[in-house]
Amino acid sequence: MNVLIASGFSEPRIRPVSDRPADAAGLKQALRTLGGGVSVITAGEGTERSGATVTSATALSVDPPRMLVSLNRSSSTWPVVERYRHFAVNVIGADHQDVANRFAGVGGLRGPERYVGAEWTRLASGAPVLENAVAALDCEVEEAIERHSHVILIGRVLSIRLGGGSSLLYQNGKYHAVT
């Protein structure tokens, strides 16, 4: 184990450093330290609805308005997005941890079962949108790039709903409310 002396404006700290191989386990461990905003990606209609909790939603461009989302190709959400050619990015707040957990598959819920317990509407694309999300970005798939285990979705933003509140973050296996 190496030791790193960190200095700055406060007293120097000694912090352990652990070198890891560049493999899947090492990458997962490193990325857990990177806090990310929690969003629920939703797609489909009726009994063919699905969705997933992600920290990979971000703006690709503001002009023109485009979103970028990375989805696991083996998830139940990708085939629905591929079929319907739409998705919504629902930015989740601290009071929606239960929604985030359901869409992360906690409790084994799948497909439309994940939508139970929250209010949903639709905007321009037809993708389900959480009524009281901090923000929702309704997107049409502009491009889907399949690489390795994931698909990179580029979405043309068709409409935006601002609900207010503070977004939820996820880091080191825990949710953190932003105030």
Side-chain angles (χ1 to χ4, degrees):
M1 179 184 300
N2 299 324
V3 176
L4 172 69
I5 306 292
S7 63
F9 295 106
S10 60
E11 291 294 314
R13 296 178 287 134
I14 297 177
R15 161 179 98 193
V17 175
S18 173
D19 294 334
R20 296 280 319 220
D23 60 9
L27 183 59
K28 284 180 184 179
Q29 188 174 5
L31 292 178
R32 286 178 59 93
T33 67
L34 177 63
V38 180
S39 296
V40 169
I41 306 305
T42 51
E45 296 177 7
T47 59
E48 292 186 345
R49 287 177 295 166
S50 193
T53 300
V54 304
T55 55
S56 64
T58 190
L60 174 64
S61 168
V62 295
D63 188 16
R66 298 294 188 268
M67 289 297 293
L68 185 138
V69 176
S70 178
L71 282 178
N72 194 309
R73 289 175 43 200
S74 67
S75 79
S76 60
T77 305
W78 165 231
V80 177
V81 171
E82 187 176 35
R83 177 175 181 197
Y84 284 90
R85 307 297 297 167
H86 70 206
F87 63 92
V89 176
N90 297 278
V91 179
I92 300 299
D95 54 343
H96 292 116
Q97 286 186 35
D98 59 329
V99 175
N101 283 333
R102 282 198 308 272
F103 280 84
V106 174
L109 298 176
R110 298 184 59 83
E113 295 173 325
R114 293 178 175 180
Y115 289 83
V116 175
E119 294 183 36
W120 301 89
T121 190
R122 295 181 186 281
L123 300 177
S125 79
V129 172
L130 182 62
E131 273 285 344
N132 55 355
V134 172
L137 301 108
D138 184 34
C139 301
E140 163 184 270
V141 175
E142 181 175 272
E143 189 173 355
I145 305 162
E146 295 187 51
R147 290 291 185 273
H148 310 290
S149 62
H150 282 66
V151 60
I152 302 161
L153 297 172
I154 298 173
R156 182 170 69 91
V157 180
L158 302 176
S159 57
I160 298 170
R161 172 177 280 190
L162 298 176
S166 297
S167 62
L168 189 64
L169 295 182
Y170 189 77
Q171 180 187 30
N172 287 324
K174 296 179 186 171
Y175 293 117
H176 304 276
V178 176
T179 55

